[in-house]
Structures are given as structure tokens and as C-alpha cells.
Amino acid sequence: MATNIGMMDGAYFVGRSEILAWINTTLHLNLSKVEEACSGAVHCQLMDSVHPGMVPMHKVNFDAKSEYEMIQNYKVLQDVFNKLKITKHIEVSKLVKGRPLDNLEFMQWMKRYCDSVNGGGLHSYNPVERREASKGGKEASKKSAPQPSSTKGSTAAPRPTSSHARRNSNDVPSSVNPSNQSAKAPSKPSTSVAAYDEQITELKLSVDSLEKERDFYFAKLRDIEILCQTPEIEDSPIVAAIKRILYATDGDASVVTEAQAMLSLDPKEAEALSPIAEASEEKSGSETQKRKNILNTDVDAAGIITLSPRQRLTDASDVHCSGSPLMTY
């Protein structure tokens, strides 16, 4: 069973239309968008379809509207995952927002998992009957059920027409036709609105995908920067070349050429081309001067300590004699 699958797995390339058809066929629902399943109730029943009796359907709320109610459904789903030892992480905070891409990816994983359990077989599963034990389950079933009354009314309407009525309709002046056309006109805007909704959904999916890709590559670059700041390798030529590319202010191709040239130079020359060379030189110069001062002080102290007592007495007497007025005679 596929509990954890990579982002490049074929499951994540299944389209929205196929996902919706699978949900509606499996659970006898009538969803038009994947994000309509963001409440978590659909996910719970999908798990119940492949593991009958594992999900406490009386705790599932198909009428969940607020985030609090949706989170309760995801708690039920998480409990089922724990019982089945499924390690898939559920990003509840993103799913309850109803974002199309997040809900599509999680539903793609759900389809892959359900297909991997006994080949996706439902074992004569009755989704409508199981849903009746849930809160709002009956209403959800009614919304998805076909409405034969409307079809009967539409088919029964032409029956009363007779030859007399047809003759009377032919006698109606042509001025009535524009009204009939105006009555049929509103069907066109409905199709255009549906097309706009489809475009908006596609744009949302595209934006979410681009944001996710941007965050992914930014995190990679940040990891590389942290690695380059490791003291053991910070002064190596390869790290200097990488920093040259990371800290470049423009997208000129010459930056890559300069970085490649730094690898063939001596460490000192490469360090001179590094973007942080000046700061490192000042720091190293100050540290060298401090070391020299400390070394001179240590040498003077060591010289004083190594003098013997007789040498110290002789030096003291020389100083005393040089300062006495008797030395002038």
C-alpha cells in the first residue's frame, strides 16, 4: 500500500476531472469542484469505502461549514490513519481554507491509496446507506440524487398540443417571437460564467503551484548559504565561487564565468574576488596585530623572569651608579 509517495509519482498527475468522476462514482455524490470536499467528510467516507466499518461515520459531519467543524472531521480521519498505521501527514490548516491545489494534491493521494487497497474494489459498498448515519448525510445524498420530476414535467409539457393549437400558434403575429427569444437568452451568460469560473480555478491552481515551487527553491538556496558559512570550509575556493553566484546582484552570465575562474586561481587570488574579501582582510589584519602585541608582551615578561638574582642586582647597581654625582670624578 502506498502511504508515502513522492511528488513526482504518477498519482500527482491525475487531472481534476478524473478525480471528481472517481469521487462522484464511488460515493454517489455530485461534486463540481475538488475543493468542495475540504470539510474532510468525503475523505472519511472514502476511507470507509476501502476499510468498511473502520470509520465511525456517526462522528462525521457532512454539513460542516466552519473551520472548527471541519477540524473535527479531520480528527476522525487522523484516528483512522493511526489505526491503520498510515504515516501520511494531513495539512489540516491548508485544506480547511479550501485552496484548490492543496485539496487536489491530497485527493490525488487518497485516490492512489484507495486504488492500492485491494485494487480499489468496494465490496458492494453502499455509500448512501453509510452516509445516513452521519450528520448532514441525508441532505448530501438528496443533493446528489437525480430529480425525475423535472424531467417528467419537461416531457409531459408537449402532450396537450393539438392540431387546433398548432393552427392558433401559426396565427400569432411575428411580434411575439422576440419575447420568446429574450426568454431563451439567459442561457448564454450561464455558459460564459461557467467558463470564467473554470479559468479562475485554473489560475488559482497555477498561482498556488508557482508559490509552492518558489518556496521550495528558496529553502534550497538558504540551506546552501548556511552550509557555505561553516567555518571548516568557509575559506575554500569552491565556497568562494558559490558565494560569488549567490550574492550576485544581477543575472549576468559573466558571474558564472567569474566563479569558474575563481576555482582555477590561488586561494589568495580567489579570496580577493570574493564578495566578502575586504571584510575578511580587515578582520585578519586586526587579529594579526593583536597577536604581535601579545607576543611582544610575552617576550618581555619572559626576559625579566629568566634573569638570575645576580644579574638583577648588577643591573640595579648600574642604574644607581649612573645616577650618582660621584661618577663625575
Side-chain angles (χ1 to χ4, degrees):
M1 293 184 294
T3 57
N4 282 323
I5 57 178
M7 289 300 298
M8 298 306 295
D9 191 90
Y12 290 107
F13 293 93
V14 180
R16 291 185 301 109
S17 58
E18 184 177 349
I19 293 292
L20 287 172
W22 170 68
I23 296 172
N24 294 332
T25 303
T26 304
L27 303 183
H28 296 178
L29 293 173
N30 191 20
L31 301 182
S32 58
K33 297 180 180 179
V34 178
E35 53 268 29
E36 291 180 5
C38 65
S39 66
V42 174
H43 304 88
C44 291
Q45 190 168 14
L46 286 173
M47 293 298 297
D48 185 70
S49 65
V50 293
H51 298 287
M54 183 65 68
V55 181
M57 292 300 295
H58 64 279
K59 294 183 179 180
V60 180
N61 185 3
F62 277 87
D63 196 29
K65 302 297 182 183
S66 63
E67 291 188 7
Y68 173 77
E69 294 174 333
M70 296 178 184
I71 290 174
Q72 302 306 313
N73 288 335
Y74 284 107
K75 286 183 178 180
V76 175
L77 183 63
Q78 186 64 63
D79 291 339
V80 175
F81 279 15
N82 295 338
K83 292 178 182 178
L84 298 172
K85 296 181 180 180
I86 299 175
T87 58
K88 172 66 175 177
H89 175 64
I90 306 175
E91 296 182 346
V92 180
S93 59
K94 293 182 179 180
L95 294 175
V96 296
K97 299 295 183 182
R99 297 178 63 178
L101 182 62
D102 295 323
N103 282 272
L104 176 61
E105 288 181 353
F106 190 66
M107 195 59 74
Q108 287 170 336
W109 179 90
M110 289 289 299
K111 185 178 187 304
R112 173 61 182 272
Y113 176 80
C114 294
D115 290 343
S116 66
V117 178
N118 298 325
L122 299 182
H123 307 288
S124 65
Y125 180 74
N126 190 340
V128 177
E129 182 180 352
R130 289 288 293 165
R131 199 160 46 237
E132 289 180 355
S134 305
K135 181 180 180 181
K138 294 181 179 180
E139 288 75 7
S141 300
K142 290 179 181 178
K143 291 179 182 178
S144 60
Q147 297 178 357
S149 59
S150 60
T151 56
K152 288 181 180 179
S154 59
T155 55
R159 291 180 182 176
T161 58
S162 60
S163 59
H164 179 70
R166 268 187 256 113
R167 265 187 253 110
N168 291 338
S169 62
N170 292 331
D171 296 336
V172 176
S174 60
S175 60
V176 181
N177 293 334
S179 62
N180 295 335
Q181 294 177 357
S182 62
K184 297 179 181 179
S187 60
K188 293 182 179 179
S190 62
T191 57
S192 62
V193 169
Y196 285 132
D197 289 340
E198 184 72 16
Q199 291 180 1
I200 291 172
T201 303
E202 293 292 339
L203 290 174
K204 286 182 179 179
L205 288 171
S206 178
V207 170
D208 291 342
S209 178
L210 291 174
E211 288 179 352
K212 196 169 185 177
E213 186 176 3
R214 177 202 63 190
D215 296 339
F216 173 79
Y217 286 111
F218 179 81
K220 293 294 182 184
L221 290 175
R222 179 56 182 157
D223 293 340
I224 294 172
E225 183 181 27
I226 294 173
L227 180 62
C228 291
Q229 294 173 353
T230 306
E232 290 80 5
I233 63 172
E234 188 174 7
D235 298 329
S236 63
I238 183 66
V239 172
I242 293 174
K243 287 182 178 180
R244 181 67 177 173
I245 297 175
L246 285 177
Y247 299 142
T249 56
D250 54 5
D252 192 1
S254 62
V255 175
V256 179
T257 305
E258 293 176 3
Q260 293 174 345
M262 292 172 66
L263 299 177
S264 60
L265 298 176
D266 294 334
K268 293 183 179 180
E269 295 178 354
E271 186 178 358
L273 294 176
S274 177
I276 57 172
E278 297 180 358
S280 60
E281 287 178 359
E282 293 178 358
K283 183 178 180 181
S284 60
S286 61
E287 290 179 353
T288 303
Q289 187 64 31
K290 289 180 180 178
R291 292 194 190 99
K292 288 181 179 179
N293 294 336
I294 294 172
L295 183 60
N296 293 335
T297 304
D298 293 341
V299 170
D300 294 340
I304 294 172
I305 294 171
T306 55
L307 290 176
S308 63
R310 182 177 294 177
Q311 288 174 335
R312 293 179 191 171
L313 183 60
T314 304
D315 293 341
S317 62
D318 292 342
V319 173
H320 179 71
C321 293
S322 62
S324 177
L326 295 176
M327 292 299 294
T328 56
Y329 293 103

